[in-house]
């Protein structure tokens, strides 16, 4: 199995190279040259398996340059039972009738990014051993909240890695801040910066590409890498849970092997839903992939009209992980839908960076619409959906999940297509307690601190509070550094003890 680049389809690299390198040299994203196929007998054989064995079955098709021992080491380390609050790792829960929810937030940081970021450090260190002479990998992350914490938990105490996370001092929620500043591990560091997320992000990018810093790191046998969602190593773990939920749907008696399901995904950077598309292309019986957005509905417009236009107002919503106007992983879909036309992808991505928009042909749009549907949800409907789903089904969902649930309800109304469906749930409701509590209380906003809100939400709803969030209250704050963005590179040296 080899990988090529969306912007130069003459390139061929191994999985280990794609993962260690992160992004292709000319700026394209790595994609498999050909997708493996799993037929329905093979899928059926995965029904009795644990999540770990299902993961090995899917991943070994993609990571053909990993030995069986290496793959076992990676997968067993990533999805070890004690790190997850469900013995199914990613359980599928029936809400009513054909409506089911795939809970992707039982990992150590209570957000779906754990599903990929628990595995990525293992894939990366094994890949580096194969391709980068065992250099120590230094992961730099600029975060607006969820990714930073999930990356810290994933890389903590992983041999031959160090991770440094920068967050905007006033730009993350109190719970997210505490999650990061109390982070344990010998190879981790966290620093706030005076500025917003974009400041942190652009400073990290300039450190990445600074030749001086690179050379100084190389002297110490270190190299930078990135944990963000354009890395193939973050995408491939996500393909697994689509196969896993399909197997669970069979096990639950909701479908027979071979019957189609629909999948609904609350979408930001288009990584999660793209993994669903790959699963479909590999033979998983998925009929439609429904892309759900909040008020930042650039993807809804694209999937309905074929024009992607980021020149629009940016809204700060209660589902912040979906507040995105440039969905990087869409590039991979465009590549596949254009019959691997990397010249076209270069053109489209150039228009995106110069004009902020591009359009695809009517043919290509028709092809995309065969696989995808799309919708978006206003802020009011998010609150209403949380409330009605709790009242009607005693199921508490977070704001991101509520966006998807509402878009799904509208999809069924509009199309009548109510076959068995799985809706991805991407965060624990307790990670967004303030919004969820206020939704459950019909808009009232009680004056409580973060932990009191968690308690109140638990008292009202009875939903279990994830241990990693509850235990934050007693954890010691380890990281209090704040720096200016001009001083971030010095901070990197300080944190690395160089
Ligand atoms: C990152 C994230 C998303 C968006 O996922 P993409 O793969 O970027 O589309 C949705 N919900 C939550 C809670 C997230 O953290």
């Amino acid at each position: 199995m080899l990988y090529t680049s969306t912007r130069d389809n003459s390139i061929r690299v191994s999985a280990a190279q794609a993962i260690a390198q992160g992004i292709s040299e000319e700026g394209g994203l790595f994609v498999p040259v050909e997708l493996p196929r799993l037929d329905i007998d093979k899928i059926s054989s995965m029904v009795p398996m644990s999540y770990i064995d299902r993961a090995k079955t899917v991943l070994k098709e993609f990571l053909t340059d990993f030995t069986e021992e290496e793959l076992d080491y990676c997968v067993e380390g990533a999805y070890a039972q004690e790190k997850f609050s469900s013995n199914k790792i990613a359980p599928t829960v029936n809400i009513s009738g054909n409506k089911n929810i795939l809970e992707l937030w039982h990992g150590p940081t209570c957000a779906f990014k754990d599903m990929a970021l628990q595995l990525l450090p293992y894939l990366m260190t094994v890949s580096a051993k194969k391709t980068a002479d065992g250099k120590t990998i230094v992961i730099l992350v600029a975060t607006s909240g969820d990714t930073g914490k999930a990356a810290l938990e994933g890389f903590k105490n992983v041999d031959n890695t160090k991770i440094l996370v920068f967050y905007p001092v006033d730009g993350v929620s109190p719970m997210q801040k505490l999650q990061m500043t109390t982070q344990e591990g010998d190879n981790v560091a966290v620093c706030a910066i005076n500025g917003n997320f974009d400041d942190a992000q652009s400073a990290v990018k300039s450190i990445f590409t600074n030749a001086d810093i690179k050379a100084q790191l190389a002297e110490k046998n270190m190299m930078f890498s990135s944990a963000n969602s354009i890395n193939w190593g973050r995408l491939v773990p996500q393909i697994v849970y689509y196969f896993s939920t399909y197997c669970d749907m069979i096990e639950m008696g909701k479908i027979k092997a071979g019957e189609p399901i629909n999948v609904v995904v609350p979408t930001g950077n288009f990584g999660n839903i793209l993994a669903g598309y790959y699963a479909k292309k590999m033979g998983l019986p998925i009929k439609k992939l429904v892309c759900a957005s909040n008020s930042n509905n650039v993807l809804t417009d694209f999937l309905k009209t074929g024009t992607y236009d980021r020149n629009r107002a940016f809204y700060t919503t209660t589902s912040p992980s979906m507040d995105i106007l440039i969905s990087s992983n869409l590039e991979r879909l465009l590549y596949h839908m254009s019959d691997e036309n990397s010249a076209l992808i270069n053109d489209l991505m150039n228009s995106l960076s110069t004009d902020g928009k591009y359009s695809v042909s009517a043919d290509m749009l028709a092809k995309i619409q065969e696989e995808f549907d799309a919708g978006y949800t206003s802020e009011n409907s998010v609150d209403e959906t949380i409330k009605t789903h709790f009242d009607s089904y005693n199921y508490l969902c977070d704001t991101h999940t509520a966006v998807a649930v509402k878009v799904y309800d509208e999809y069924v109304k509009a199309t009548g297509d109510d076959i068995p469906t799985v809706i991805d749930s991407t965060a624990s409701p307790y990670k967004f307690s303030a919004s969820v509590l206020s939704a459950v209380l019909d808009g009232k906003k009680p004056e409580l601190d973060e932990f009191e809100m968690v308690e109140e939400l638990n008292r009202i709803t009875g939903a279990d509070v994830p241990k990693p969030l509850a235990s934050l209250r007693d954890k010691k704050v380890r990281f209090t550094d704040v720096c200016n963005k001009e001083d971030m590179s010095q901070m990197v040296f300080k944190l690395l003890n160089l």
Side-chain angles (χ1 to χ4, degrees), residues 112-113 146 266-272 321-322 400 426-427:
F112 102 100
K113 291 189 172 61
D146 280 351
T267 297
N269 223 354
F270 211 76
N272 196 357
S321 301
M322 297 159 70
H400 304 75
T426 49

Side-chain angles (χ1 to χ4, degrees), residues 165-199:
V165 171
F166 294 94
Y167 68 92
V169 67
D170 296 318
V172 300
S173 79
M175 188 65 97
Q176 287 173 322
K177 181 171 177 169
L178 257 185
Q179 278 191 304
M180 291 189 280
T181 55
T182 58
Q183 178 65 45
E184 291 162 358
D186 300 331
N187 62 339
V188 306
V190 175
C191 180
I193 73 148
N194 293 310
N196 60 26
F197 171 66
D198 286 328
D199 295 327

Side-chain angles (χ1 to χ4, degrees), residues 105 110-114 145-147 176 229 234-235 238 241 265-275 291-292 299 319-324 327-329 398-401 424-428 431-432:
W105 43 262
C110 311
F112 102 100
K113 291 189 172 61
D114 289 329
D146 280 351
T147 302
Q176 287 173 322
S229 77
R234 255 190 77 175
L235 207 49
Q238 300 185 257
Y241 52 70
V265 186
T267 297
N269 223 354
F270 211 76
N272 196 357
I273 194 166
L274 184 71
C291 174
L299 284 167
S319 43
S321 301
M322 297 159 70
D323 291 346
I324 280 182
S327 294
S328 339
N329 273 301
D398 95 294
T399 46
H400 304 75
T401 309
D424 284 7
S425 174
T426 49
S428 157
K431 212 163 173 181
F432 300 93

Side-chain angles (χ1 to χ4, degrees), residues 27-260:
L29 308 186
F30 289 119
V31 288
V33 172
E34 232 178 314
L35 282 174
R37 297 272 312 172
L38 296 183
D39 64 21
I40 198 63
D41 289 341
K42 182 85 178 180
I43 296 170
S44 301
S45 76
M46 290 163 68
V47 174
M49 290 183 191
S50 66
Y51 191 86
I52 284 182
D53 287 335
R54 290 172 182 173
K56 287 179 189 170
T57 308
V58 174
L59 292 171
K60 81 168 179 225
E61 302 286 335
F62 286 100
L63 308 173
T64 48
D65 51 338
F66 283 48
T67 65
E68 196 170 330
E69 290 71 38
E70 285 168 342
L71 193 61
D72 288 354
Y73 159 75
C74 291
V75 174
E76 286 164 20
Y79 302 113
Q81 185 58 71
E82 67 271 13
K83 297 185 188 171
F84 286 77
S85 64
S86 162
N87 59 6
K88 298 216 69 137
I89 306 299
T92 303
V93 178
N94 181 253
I95 298 300
S96 108
N98 280 341
K99 196 183 214 177
N100 302 276
I101 292 207
L102 169 59
E103 294 181 345
L104 297 169
W105 43 262
H106 287 277
T109 80
C110 311
F112 102 100
K113 291 189 172 61
D114 289 329
M115 297 305 298
L117 279 165
Q118 282 298 310
L119 185 59
L120 180 69
Y122 290 94
L123 299 182
M124 215 179 240
T125 47
V126 171
S127 299
K129 253 184 222 143
K130 291 177 186 294
T131 63
D133 318 323
K135 283 200 176 78
T136 294
I137 296 179
V138 179
I139 302 287
L140 284 190
V141 183
T143 186
S144 56
D146 280 351
T147 302
K149 175 61 183 178
L152 284 163
E153 264 312 304
F155 281 92
K156 127 183 127 180
N157 296 334
V158 175
D159 287 348
N160 296 322
T161 72
K162 291 181 185 291
I163 172 162
L164 312 177
V165 171
F166 294 94
Y167 68 92
V169 67
D170 296 318
V172 300
S173 79
M175 188 65 97
Q176 287 173 322
K177 181 171 177 169
L178 257 185
Q179 278 191 304
M180 291 189 280
T181 55
T182 58
Q183 178 65 45
E184 291 162 358
D186 300 331
N187 62 339
V188 306
V190 175
C191 180
I193 73 148
N194 293 310
N196 60 26
F197 171 66
D198 286 328
D199 295 327
Q201 170 115 306
S202 48
V204 160
K205 272 194 191 145
S206 75
I207 295 172
F208 260 123
T209 47
N210 183 315
D212 270 359
I213 301 181
K214 245 191 206 167
Q216 293 187 58
L217 250 64
E219 265 176 38
K220 304 279 177 190
N221 205 29
M222 294 183 183
M223 64 181 265
F224 282 131
S225 191
S226 147
N228 71 20
S229 77
I230 53 178
N231 193 315
W232 176 251
R234 255 190 77 175
L235 207 49
V236 70
Q238 300 185 257
I239 298 173
V240 172
Y241 52 70
Y242 288 102
F243 283 92
S244 182
T245 192
Y246 189 85
C247 291
D248 286 342
M249 290 281 282
I250 295 175
E251 215 172 26
M252 290 156 70
K254 297 289 165 196
I255 50 170
K256 293 202 182 67
E259 285 176 0

